[in-house]
Structures are given as structure tokens and as C-alpha cells.
Amino acid sequence: AQIDDPDRFPAPVIKHIFEDPKNGETFRLSRVIQPPLKSVYSILKNNGLFADFLEMCSGFVPEMLEWAGIPKENPKNASLPSPQDAYTIFTTDYKLGSTSTPEACLDQNVKMFNTYNYTLFAPDNTAMQEAYGNGLPTWSDVQELYNYWTGKDSEELSDSELADMADAKARAYLMIRAMRDFVRYHFVTGSVYADNSIEGGRYQSLASDELGVAKELWLSGGAGDITVTDQKAGHTVTVSANGTNIVNQMTRDYWFNSDKTTASAIETSSFCAVHQVSQPLYGVASGKFNETWASRKAFDSAKKRLQQLNANNEY
């Protein structure tokens, strides 16, 4: 917070240094260091250049997910996590077991975070337009299907119309999954800052493949740069602290012990480094997002899977 708002939180001054030949040095400061007070959501919300990405993150509304075959409650046991939980990006409710505390955060928190450190390579509007140009669906695509079919009485539809509606739901399901995977692929475990040196290597994203294995990114860099290599062959994105982009934003998503207006303690929190990127990250080797939702193979697989899930109540 001292970096972001030095007038409100002046940087502490080192008043004395205590040296210990075995345990290093201890510094006595003039004031307590203030941790970050910005959430990931606030960075995206307060910078219009992330409007398209935030719109995608915020579009996973329960009614549309349920229509596409992703129920609000676990069909086998309502006390277990909802299938929709895996699609929710931002939330205001803190859940611990069967207990839910509403409005227990500063604004909205990343639901996937779990008391750890993360990095978000946040695609700006330019990056999102590139992604759309390479087959990433939009919420308007899903909304079009939803608006046409929702509210129709299945008992009044012909067999061919029922088949068309089932196809539409399968298509919507695939597009929703593609958008979820796109968003989650831009989050990685571990906080990485563009600095003089970074700890490079393989980093797991919050997106998974069909087997449930986390998709990976490869990070390298130094001298104020981070080079991100993703699953598209030969594709790299560079984050640079030497330019004018939004880079090295330290955020913290807090969960409080009650509503934020009455909270007396922090239950838990997660840190996240946020970096603007002007090219999207590709979680598919071909760089064509529509291969995951528009191909006949993907479509037939989705229809079969939804039929099995509906028949067995398994999600």
C-alpha cells in the first residue's frame, strides 16, 4: 500500500538495525508496513482496458449455466460443492464447509484462490479482440441461444425441435467451458513479479485438461521482464516493467469473519500479482479456440457427456 498510495501510507523509515552474526539483521521501523488493500477485481474494474476480460469473468450467471446443463446444486448431495462452483470466477460469499458468509470481502474475490500466492496475466481489450478473432466465443453467442430456447415449453415442441434444443444446449455448454478455460489459463499458481531476476520454469495454471491435469505455462526473464510461453507452439508473451503497461500490481483478496461492515478479523487471504498483457495466452496448441467447441468431434462428445450426466446425476 505504501507503493500505491504513499500520501495515505507513507513508507516507514528504518530507525535502527540489529545485527546478529547467526540470524542476520532485524530492522526497527517507524511504522507498521501496510499490506496491499486492492483486490484482483478492483484492478480489472478500475481500468477500462480490462473491460472485455472482466465482462467474460462476470458472465457465468447461474441461470444460464443451469440451462446449459451445469446445475446450481450437486444432484447427488446438496451439501457438496455445486458444479457451478467450477465456473464461478468472482464471488462475494465466503464458504467454509456448509457455512456461507455473504459480503465477506472488500468487493469481490477470485473464487479459485485458496490461501496461496497467484499471478494473473490479465488480457487487455486488444488481447481479447485477438482471442475473439481466433475463435474464442463471447457471452452474446451463448445469450443468443439462451434467449431463443429458454422459456419454451418442451411439451409443445416437436421431436425435431427438441433435438435442436438439445443441440443448442450442448453448443452453449461447450462455449461456456471454452470461456472458463480461457479465463482460468491466465491465472497461475505462485506470485511472479517482473524484477531483476525471476524464478523461472514450469508454472501450473488454474485451467485443466480433459484428464483434470493442470495446464502449464513456462516463465523466464529478468531485467524487469517476464517471458511467458504457453501451449501454442512458438507463442510467447512478454511482460515488461520498463514500459507503460500495468505491471507488478500486488493485490490481496481478503476473506473476513463476517460482513465487511462488521468484520473484526481476517479469516484468510490470497495474494496475486497482476500484469497486463496485450496478447492472449493460448491453452490450445493450435491457437484456435473454436477447436474446443465448434468441431463436430467436440460437439458429439459434449452431447454424449451431457446425456450421461443427466442419466446418472453425475457432474
Side-chain angles (χ1 to χ4, degrees):
Q2 281 83 359
I3 296 174
D4 296 327
D5 194 352
D7 294 331
R8 184 182 177 192
F9 302 107
V13 176
I14 297 175
K15 306 295 288 186
H16 187 75
I17 301 176
F18 301 91
E19 296 188 6
D20 187 308
K22 293 183 179 180
N23 295 319
E25 299 176 331
T26 300
F27 300 90
R28 179 161 61 86
L29 303 178
S30 60
R31 59 176 57 87
V32 174
I33 296 175
Q34 176 67 48
L37 296 173
K38 295 185 296 187
S39 65
V40 172
Y41 177 82
S42 71
I43 296 292
L44 302 180
K45 178 70 173 178
N46 295 328
N47 293 280
L49 52 87
F50 298 123
D52 289 350
F53 182 63
L54 181 59
E55 180 182 18
M56 180 164 286
C57 292
S58 304
F60 297 89
V61 295
E63 293 76 17
M64 195 178 299
L65 296 184
E66 185 153 33
W67 177 81
I70 307 165
K72 293 180 182 179
E73 293 186 352
N74 191 298
K76 285 193 169 182
N77 188 337
S79 65
L80 295 176
S82 160
Q84 291 191 5
D85 286 346
Y87 291 81
T88 304
I89 307 301
F90 290 112
T91 183
T92 61
D93 292 352
Y94 176 57
K95 291 184 178 181
L96 185 61
S98 59
T99 303
S100 179
T101 305
E103 303 297 330
C105 54
L106 292 174
D107 35 47
Q108 295 191 39
N109 282 0
V110 179
K111 187 174 182 62
M112 302 95 73
F113 287 177
N114 187 23
T115 317
Y116 194 62
N117 301 324
Y118 303 86
T119 299
L120 168 60
F121 296 103
D124 60 21
N125 297 337
T126 299
M128 293 300 294
Q129 291 304 312
E130 179 179 327
Y132 295 143
N134 283 289
L136 183 69
T138 67
W139 282 114
S140 61
D141 297 326
V142 180
Q143 189 76 47
E144 183 178 354
L145 296 174
Y146 177 77
N147 289 344
Y148 182 82
W149 288 105
T150 189
K152 291 185 182 297
D153 188 346
S154 59
E155 294 183 358
E156 297 180 357
L157 298 178
S158 66
D159 290 344
S160 62
E161 288 174 323
L162 288 172
D164 289 343
M165 183 169 66
D167 288 351
K169 289 186 175 185
R171 185 71 70 203
Y173 171 78
L174 285 171
M175 288 193 285
I176 291 169
R177 284 194 53 149
M179 288 187 283
R180 178 199 65 174
D181 292 348
F182 175 84
V183 171
R184 293 178 69 116
Y185 191 62
H186 286 76
F187 287 90
V188 301
T189 55
S191 290
V192 183
Y193 291 89
D195 207 340
N196 291 331
S197 62
I198 72 166
E199 185 175 346
R202 295 172 178 261
Y203 282 78
Q204 291 185 336
S205 76
L206 298 188
S208 301
D209 62 18
E210 292 297 326
L211 298 177
V213 179
K215 294 182 179 180
E216 292 184 328
L217 299 160
W218 292 263
L219 306 185
S220 60
D225 289 349
I226 302 172
T227 299
V228 186
T229 303
D230 68 13
Q231 295 199 351
K232 178 184 175 184
H235 182 247
T236 61
V237 173
T238 299
V239 170
S240 180
N242 303 309
T244 59
N245 282 359
I246 296 173
V247 176
N248 288 343
Q249 294 293 298
M250 180 184 289
T251 67
R252 189 177 182 185
D253 280 11
Y254 296 88
W255 283 121
F256 303 126
N257 63 342
S258 66
D259 180 289
K260 64 183 177 183
T261 61
T262 60
S264 60
I266 298 171
E267 288 285 350
T268 187
S269 67
S270 300
F271 288 88
C272 183
V274 180
H275 308 292
Q276 176 188 353
V277 292
S278 295
Q279 286 183 288
L281 301 177
Y282 292 87
V284 289
S286 67
K288 299 298 181 182
F289 294 106
N290 52 358
E291 76 173 21
T292 65
W293 65 269
S295 70
R296 189 70 212 183
K297 179 180 179 181
F299 179 69
D300 290 342
S301 177
K303 283 191 67 175
K304 181 178 179 181
R305 183 174 184 275
L306 287 174
Q307 290 169 353
Q308 291 173 340
L309 294 177
N310 289 330
N312 300 327
N313 279 339
E314 294 177 351
Y315 289 82

mmCIF file of all heavy atoms in Angstrom, residues 142-163:
data_model
loop_
_atom_site.group_PDB
_atom_site.id
_atom_site.type_symbol
_atom_site.label_atom_id
_atom_site.label_comp_id
_atom_site.label_asym_id
_atom_site.label_seq_id
_atom_site.Cartn_x
_atom_site.Cartn_y
_atom_site.Cartn_z
ATOM 1 N N VAL A 142 -23.610 -17.129 -26.495
ATOM 2 C CA VAL A 142 -24.398 -18.006 -25.630
ATOM 3 C C VAL A 142 -25.778 -17.408 -25.382
ATOM 4 O O VAL A 142 -26.792 -18.114 -25.402
ATOM 5 C CB VAL A 142 -23.667 -18.246 -24.294
ATOM 6 C CG1 VAL A 142 -24.483 -19.154 -23.382
ATOM 7 C CG2 VAL A 142 -22.287 -18.852 -24.542
ATOM 8 N N GLN A 143 -25.814 -16.096 -25.166
ATOM 9 C CA GLN A 143 -27.073 -15.427 -24.878
ATOM 10 C C GLN A 143 -28.068 -15.584 -26.014
ATOM 11 O O GLN A 143 -29.280 -15.730 -25.795
ATOM 12 C CB GLN A 143 -26.818 -13.936 -24.617
ATOM 13 C CG GLN A 143 -28.022 -13.169 -24.104
ATOM 14 C CD GLN A 143 -28.303 -13.453 -22.637
ATOM 15 O OE1 GLN A 143 -27.394 -13.422 -21.815
ATOM 16 N NE2 GLN A 143 -29.557 -13.735 -22.310
ATOM 17 N N GLU A 144 -27.568 -15.576 -27.234
ATOM 18 C CA GLU A 144 -28.443 -15.735 -28.400
ATOM 19 C C GLU A 144 -29.164 -17.077 -28.359
ATOM 20 O O GLU A 144 -30.365 -17.159 -28.612
ATOM 21 C CB GLU A 144 -27.630 -15.591 -29.684
ATOM 22 C CG GLU A 144 -28.450 -15.659 -30.958
ATOM 23 C CD GLU A 144 -27.617 -15.453 -32.206
ATOM 24 O OE1 GLU A 144 -26.415 -15.154 -32.080
ATOM 25 O OE2 GLU A 144 -28.168 -15.613 -33.311
ATOM 26 N N LEU A 145 -28.417 -18.139 -28.045
ATOM 27 C CA LEU A 145 -29.038 -19.461 -27.934
ATOM 28 C C LEU A 145 -29.995 -19.506 -26.755
ATOM 29 O O LEU A 145 -31.114 -20.039 -26.853
ATOM 30 C CB LEU A 145 -27.953 -20.530 -27.772
ATOM 31 C CG LEU A 145 -26.982 -20.721 -28.940
ATOM 32 C CD1 LEU A 145 -25.885 -21.709 -28.556
ATOM 33 C CD2 LEU A 145 -27.725 -21.210 -30.169
ATOM 34 N N TYR A 146 -29.564 -18.956 -25.642
ATOM 35 C CA TYR A 146 -30.373 -18.967 -24.417
ATOM 36 C C TYR A 146 -31.686 -18.225 -24.622
ATOM 37 O O TYR A 146 -32.764 -18.711 -24.243
ATOM 38 C CB TYR A 146 -29.562 -18.336 -23.285
ATOM 39 C CG TYR A 146 -30.292 -18.215 -21.971
ATOM 40 C CD1 TYR A 146 -30.482 -19.325 -21.146
ATOM 41 C CD2 TYR A 146 -30.778 -16.984 -21.536
ATOM 42 C CE1 TYR A 146 -31.141 -19.214 -19.929
ATOM 43 C CE2 TYR A 146 -31.434 -16.863 -20.325
ATOM 44 C CZ TYR A 146 -31.609 -17.967 -19.531
ATOM 45 O OH TYR A 146 -32.268 -17.855 -18.331
ATOM 46 N N ASN A 147 -31.617 -17.040 -25.223
ATOM 47 C CA ASN A 147 -32.825 -16.236 -25.426
ATOM 48 C C ASN A 147 -33.813 -16.932 -26.358
ATOM 49 O O ASN A 147 -35.040 -16.815 -26.183
ATOM 50 C CB ASN A 147 -32.461 -14.863 -26.008
ATOM 51 C CG ASN A 147 -31.772 -13.974 -24.995
ATOM 52 O OD1 ASN A 147 -31.811 -14.238 -23.796
ATOM 53 N ND2 ASN A 147 -31.136 -12.926 -25.473
ATOM 54 N N TYR A 148 -33.303 -17.642 -27.348
ATOM 55 C CA TYR A 148 -34.194 -18.299 -28.312
ATOM 56 C C TYR A 148 -34.930 -19.473 -27.685
ATOM 57 O O TYR A 148 -36.132 -19.663 -27.930
ATOM 58 C CB TYR A 148 -33.393 -18.769 -29.530
ATOM 59 C CG TYR A 148 -34.257 -19.413 -30.594
ATOM 60 C CD1 TYR A 148 -34.959 -18.631 -31.510
ATOM 61 C CD2 TYR A 148 -34.395 -20.803 -30.660
ATOM 62 C CE1 TYR A 148 -35.771 -19.214 -32.469
ATOM 63 C CE2 TYR A 148 -35.205 -21.395 -31.621
ATOM 64 C CZ TYR A 148 -35.897 -20.598 -32.524
ATOM 65 O OH TYR A 148 -36.706 -21.179 -33.468
ATOM 66 N N TRP A 149 -34.224 -20.262 -26.862
ATOM 67 C CA TRP A 149 -34.817 -21.508 -26.390
ATOM 68 C C TRP A 149 -35.387 -21.440 -24.975
ATOM 69 O O TRP A 149 -36.277 -22.224 -24.636
ATOM 70 C CB TRP A 149 -33.766 -22.629 -26.436
ATOM 71 C CG TRP A 149 -33.444 -23.074 -27.826
ATOM 72 C CD1 TRP A 149 -32.312 -22.794 -28.537
ATOM 73 C CD2 TRP A 149 -34.273 -23.861 -28.681
ATOM 74 N NE1 TRP A 149 -32.371 -23.365 -29.785
ATOM 75 C CE2 TRP A 149 -33.579 -24.032 -29.909
ATOM 76 C CE3 TRP A 149 -35.538 -24.446 -28.556
ATOM 77 C CZ2 TRP A 149 -34.088 -24.753 -30.974
ATOM 78 C CZ3 TRP A 149 -36.059 -25.163 -29.614
ATOM 79 C CH2 TRP A 149 -35.348 -25.306 -30.807
ATOM 80 N N THR A 150 -34.898 -20.548 -24.153
ATOM 81 C CA THR A 150 -35.387 -20.538 -22.773
ATOM 82 C C THR A 150 -36.850 -20.114 -22.728
ATOM 83 O O THR A 150 -37.315 -19.248 -23.477
ATOM 84 C CB THR A 150 -34.545 -19.580 -21.906
ATOM 85 O OG1 THR A 150 -34.917 -19.748 -20.529
ATOM 86 C CG2 THR A 150 -34.777 -18.130 -22.285
ATOM 87 N N GLY A 151 -37.579 -20.732 -21.856
ATOM 88 C CA GLY A 151 -38.991 -20.415 -21.709
ATOM 89 C C GLY A 151 -39.901 -21.206 -22.620
ATOM 90 O O GLY A 151 -41.130 -21.178 -22.451
ATOM 91 N N LYS A 152 -39.335 -21.913 -23.582
ATOM 92 C CA LYS A 152 -40.178 -22.721 -24.468
ATOM 93 C C LYS A 152 -40.645 -23.973 -23.727
ATOM 94 O O LYS A 152 -39.866 -24.616 -23.019
ATOM 95 C CB LYS A 152 -39.413 -23.101 -25.740
ATOM 96 C CG LYS A 152 -39.125 -21.919 -26.660
ATOM 97 C CD LYS A 152 -38.471 -22.374 -27.946
ATOM 98 C CE LYS A 152 -38.131 -21.201 -28.860
ATOM 99 N NZ LYS A 152 -39.335 -20.468 -29.311
ATOM 100 N N ASP A 153 -41.881 -24.303 -23.891
ATOM 101 C CA ASP A 153 -42.468 -25.476 -23.238
ATOM 102 C C ASP A 153 -42.080 -26.714 -24.044
ATOM 103 O O ASP A 153 -42.496 -26.872 -25.197
ATOM 104 C CB ASP A 153 -43.980 -25.322 -23.163
ATOM 105 C CG ASP A 153 -44.630 -26.423 -22.322
ATOM 106 O OD1 ASP A 153 -43.953 -27.432 -22.026
ATOM 107 O OD2 ASP A 153 -45.816 -26.261 -21.968
ATOM 108 N N SER A 154 -41.288 -27.579 -23.424
ATOM 109 C CA SER A 154 -40.809 -28.759 -24.138
ATOM 110 C C SER A 154 -41.952 -29.663 -24.589
ATOM 111 O O SER A 154 -41.835 -30.390 -25.575
ATOM 112 C CB SER A 154 -39.837 -29.553 -23.261
ATOM 113 O OG SER A 154 -40.463 -29.959 -22.064
ATOM 114 N N GLU A 155 -43.082 -29.607 -23.859
ATOM 115 C CA GLU A 155 -44.223 -30.456 -24.229
ATOM 116 C C GLU A 155 -44.889 -29.986 -25.518
ATOM 117 O O GLU A 155 -45.624 -30.746 -26.149
ATOM 118 C CB GLU A 155 -45.237 -30.478 -23.091
ATOM 119 C CG GLU A 155 -44.712 -31.155 -21.826
ATOM 120 C CD GLU A 155 -45.769 -31.229 -20.741
ATOM 121 O OE1 GLU A 155 -46.886 -30.712 -20.981
ATOM 122 O OE2 GLU A 155 -45.480 -31.804 -19.683
ATOM 123 N N GLU A 156 -44.636 -28.751 -25.897
ATOM 124 C CA GLU A 156 -45.241 -28.208 -27.110
ATOM 125 C C GLU A 156 -44.302 -28.264 -28.311
ATOM 126 O O GLU A 156 -44.676 -27.850 -29.406
ATOM 127 C CB GLU A 156 -45.678 -26.761 -26.873
ATOM 128 C CG GLU A 156 -46.751 -26.615 -25.796
ATOM 129 C CD GLU A 156 -47.160 -25.181 -25.589
ATOM 130 O OE1 GLU A 156 -46.572 -24.293 -26.246
ATOM 131 O OE2 GLU A 156 -48.053 -24.935 -24.756
ATOM 132 N N LEU A 157 -43.080 -28.772 -28.102
ATOM 133 C CA LEU A 157 -42.101 -28.829 -29.178
ATOM 134 C C LEU A 157 -42.169 -30.166 -29.901
ATOM 135 O O LEU A 157 -42.454 -31.207 -29.280
ATOM 136 C CB LEU A 157 -40.690 -28.616 -28.618
ATOM 137 C CG LEU A 157 -40.407 -27.273 -27.942
ATOM 138 C CD1 LEU A 157 -38.990 -27.241 -27.402
ATOM 139 C CD2 LEU A 157 -40.631 -26.116 -28.907
ATOM 140 N N SER A 158 -41.903 -30.143 -31.183
ATOM 141 C CA SER A 158 -41.828 -31.378 -31.956
ATOM 142 C C SER A 158 -40.540 -32.111 -31.634
ATOM 143 O O SER A 158 -39.638 -31.568 -30.988
ATOM 144 C CB SER A 158 -41.885 -31.056 -33.450
ATOM 145 O OG SER A 158 -40.720 -30.335 -33.830
ATOM 146 N N ASP A 159 -40.448 -33.350 -32.092
ATOM 147 C CA ASP A 159 -39.234 -34.125 -31.857
ATOM 148 C C ASP A 159 -38.011 -33.439 -32.464
ATOM 149 O O ASP A 159 -36.927 -33.428 -31.856
ATOM 150 C CB ASP A 159 -39.388 -35.535 -32.441
ATOM 151 C CG ASP A 159 -40.380 -36.380 -31.657
ATOM 152 O OD1 ASP A 159 -40.718 -35.992 -30.510
ATOM 153 O OD2 ASP A 159 -40.822 -37.421 -32.190
ATOM 154 N N SER A 160 -38.168 -32.872 -33.649
ATOM 155 C CA SER A 160 -37.034 -32.206 -34.290
ATOM 156 C C SER A 160 -36.643 -30.943 -33.530
ATOM 157 O O SER A 160 -35.448 -30.617 -33.405
ATOM 158 C CB SER A 160 -37.370 -31.859 -35.742
ATOM 159 O OG SER A 160 -38.455 -30.949 -35.817
ATOM 160 N N GLU A 161 -37.625 -30.236 -32.988
ATOM 161 C CA GLU A 161 -37.325 -29.036 -32.198
ATOM 162 C C GLU A 161 -36.644 -29.415 -30.883
ATOM 163 O O GLU A 161 -35.735 -28.715 -30.422
ATOM 164 C CB GLU A 161 -38.607 -28.254 -31.936
ATOM 165 C CG GLU A 161 -39.155 -27.542 -33.163
ATOM 166 C CD GLU A 161 -40.489 -26.892 -32.894
ATOM 167 O OE1 GLU A 161 -41.303 -27.485 -32.143
ATOM 168 O OE2 GLU A 161 -40.737 -25.804 -33.437
ATOM 169 N N LEU A 162 -37.099 -30.502 -30.290
ATOM 170 C CA LEU A 162 -36.433 -30.970 -29.064
ATOM 171 C C LEU A 162 -34.975 -31.331 -29.340
ATOM 172 O O LEU A 162 -34.093 -31.052 -28.523
ATOM 173 C CB LEU A 162 -37.184 -32.171 -28.493
ATOM 174 C CG LEU A 162 -38.532 -31.891 -27.840
ATOM 175 C CD1 LEU A 162 -39.238 -33.190 -27.503
ATOM 176 C CD2 LEU A 162 -38.344 -31.043 -26.579
ATOM 177 N N ALA A 163 -34.750 -31.952 -30.487
ATOM 178 C CA ALA A 163 -33.375 -32.296 -30.865
ATOM 179 C C ALA A 163 -32.551 -31.032 -31.099
ATOM 180 O O ALA A 163 -31.385 -30.961 -30.695
ATOM 181 C CB ALA A 163 -33.383 -33.165 -32.123
#
